[in-house]
Amino acid sequence: MSTIIKLLPNQVPQVWETIKLAAVRSQEVSPSNLPQVCERLLHGLLSDTVQCLVTLDEDRTILQVCLTQVQVNRITGLRELVIMGLYSFRLMQEEDIVASKNLFLGLARSQQCSQIICGSRNPRLWNIYEQLGFREASRNYVYVMEGDN
């Protein structure tokens, strides 16, 4: 049986390398952006503006890492829970997916959020989010100003 816990800011340094690995992999951070992303993430975690939820197995080994942040929508002014990264060190089972949904809903309610926002380039996560009842709301496009496009 696995357990999901929200890390307190003072617990972050103990598992920072695991969090960093999960964040970099889930967000597909380019090597050139790695220092800035890690610095901002660590600052957010230590100041509790970014939350880290971990799923532990019976041996207290971290199985999944989820990074969230509450933001205010610039247009509507409503609070949104943003899932910044979700990474699993093993294939997520059905019970993991259900537990994640319950966790996200509870966290969003406790933070008075009107919706939960997430995104990924990973097709497996698209499937998981759809299983959780999320629907596609928009698509993002990028034009990189350096090099060929």
Side-chain angles (χ1 to χ4, degrees):
M1 182 76 181
S2 58
T3 305
I4 301 174
I5 63 167
K6 178 185 179 279
L7 294 181
L8 299 173
N10 65 349
Q11 295 172 309
V12 169
Q14 299 167 25
V15 292
W16 169 241
E17 291 302 317
T18 302
I19 296 169
K20 182 169 70 171
L21 176 68
V24 167
R25 287 186 177 171
S26 69
Q27 297 175 13
E28 299 177 16
V29 177
S30 68
S32 63
N33 292 330
L34 192 60
Q36 304 92 309
V37 169
C38 290
E39 180 180 331
R40 292 180 68 140
L41 175 60
L42 183 58
H43 181 269
L45 289 165
L46 294 176
S47 65
D48 204 28
T49 58
V50 174
Q51 298 75 43
C52 181
L53 308 155
V54 294
T55 303
L56 305 171
D57 68 8
E58 305 82 31
D59 299 322
R60 312 245 338 132
T61 301
I62 296 176
L63 302 176
Q64 282 111 24
V65 174
C66 180
L67 300 168
T68 65
Q69 186 172 40
V70 175
Q71 296 180 346
V72 176
N73 183 292
R74 293 181 198 166
I75 297 171
T76 65
L78 298 173
R79 294 170 59 85
E80 302 170 333
L81 178 67
V82 179
I83 301 171
M84 299 169 47
L86 178 60
Y87 188 80
S88 183
F89 293 97
R90 68 171 172 110
L91 185 64
M92 289 182 75
Q93 303 300 317
E94 185 66 31
E95 66 264 13
D96 299 323
I97 294 170
V98 170
S100 294
K101 180 178 184 176
N102 293 335
L103 180 74
F104 297 149
L105 292 175
L107 187 57
R109 283 186 186 108
S110 74
Q111 296 294 319
Q112 295 84 42
C113 295
S114 62
Q115 59 186 4
I116 303 170
I117 306 290
C118 57
S120 176
R121 288 180 238 164
N122 184 322
R124 171 72 176 133
L125 275 179
W126 300 342
N127 291 333
I128 289 172
Y129 290 142
E130 287 173 3
Q131 281 181 277
L132 293 174
F134 288 74
R135 63 177 174 76
E136 185 177 323
S138 66
R139 293 184 185 208
N140 293 313
Y141 298 88
V142 65
Y143 184 94
V144 179
M145 297 301 292
E146 56 190 56
D148 290 330
N149 280 302

